[in-house]
Amino acid sequence: MLYPSYPEIRDRLAQVAREHPNVAQVYVLGQSHVGRPIEALRLSGGAEDDPAGLFLGGVHGVEKVGVAMVLRLVDELLAHHKGPSPKSPLNGRQVWLVPLLNPDGYVRPQRKNARGVDLNRNFGVGFSGQSPLNRWRRWAFYPGPSAYSEPEPRALKGLFDRVHLAFSVSFHSFGGFINYPYGFSKTRPPDAALFTAIAREMRRRQPYEKYRPRQLSWLYRPCGCLEDTLYESGGTLAFLIEMVAR
């Protein structure tokens, strides 16, 4: 499978904004370590304060299927938008789509950003940088020297500090799991039953692979991950989907 280049991703977002000016706007959330813009596409058929959701890809630069998934969602949402119809997915809500959080890692390609930091260990809640392993820069999951030390998580934080997200879905690979908080702890979240019910409904509605619902900490503990931060800081129903790519 051929994945789009970084310039092609940006061109696609710009094209959508040109062709659908009433519902689509492109925002620059920030820049990567080497200065590449991190862009978001906002799709909405309503007001600025409508309930909001986030679809995110490319947190890890080598997991390109997630980038393709977010771009596919752009097409699906626009294809099913029927103006003010109650059945439109954009009626009364706003959807933020960030295809690529880690453009430097995507271009190289490598899992981590240009400074060698795993971006999904660099968010605030549960951040852990004190153990000897977490201070080893060559470790695959090196979290960085401190929470939000990297410009890419800070760029995303600027979005969720400004826009309350009712839900969030980030796409990773591989494995076939629908994960939910917590990652940094094996403690069950207060909304565990709701998370499980939503994850099972996601599983039921897609006919190709039987994804398995799991709490993020079921195998290992991703401390400082986005999902825990969104859930703890704003009550966001945040999911991390490990996709199956064929």
Side-chain angles (χ1 to χ4, degrees), residues 77-88:
L77 288 167
L78 291 172
H80 289 87
H81 177 55
K82 308 298 182 183
S85 167
K87 295 183 178 181
S88 171

Side-chain angles (χ1 to χ4, degrees), residues 8 29 41 51 53 60 64 106 125 128 136 188 201 218 234 246:
E8 288 171 340
L29 302 181
L41 181 72
H60 298 129
K64 297 187 175 184
Y106 190 85
V125 172
S128 177
W136 184 36
R188 296 276 286 172
E201 184 65 12
W218 73 275
R246 297 189 182 277

Side-chain angles (χ1 to χ4, degrees), residues 10-45:
R10 296 192 67 196
D11 288 346
R12 176 59 183 146
L13 298 186
Q15 179 185 12
V16 170
R18 287 195 307 270
E19 294 178 352
H20 304 273
N22 294 329
V23 297
Q25 302 87 36
V26 175
Y27 293 83
V28 177
L29 302 181
Q31 294 185 331
S32 70
H33 180 68
V34 301
R36 293 185 173 98
I38 299 168
E39 294 185 330
L41 181 72
R42 178 183 180 269
L43 298 180
S44 177

Side-chain angles (χ1 to χ4, degrees), residues 147-164:
Y148 295 111
S149 63
E150 306 310 297
E152 297 90 351
R154 290 199 303 269
L156 197 60
K157 185 176 187 296
L159 172 62
F160 62 73
D161 281 350
R162 179 166 57 91
V163 178
H164 176 259

Side-chain angles (χ1 to χ4, degrees), residues 81-100:
H81 177 55
K82 308 298 182 183
S85 167
K87 295 183 178 181
S88 171
L90 302 180
N91 181 49
R93 60 182 62 89
Q94 52 180 316
V95 182
W96 291 81
L97 302 107
V98 182
L100 183 54

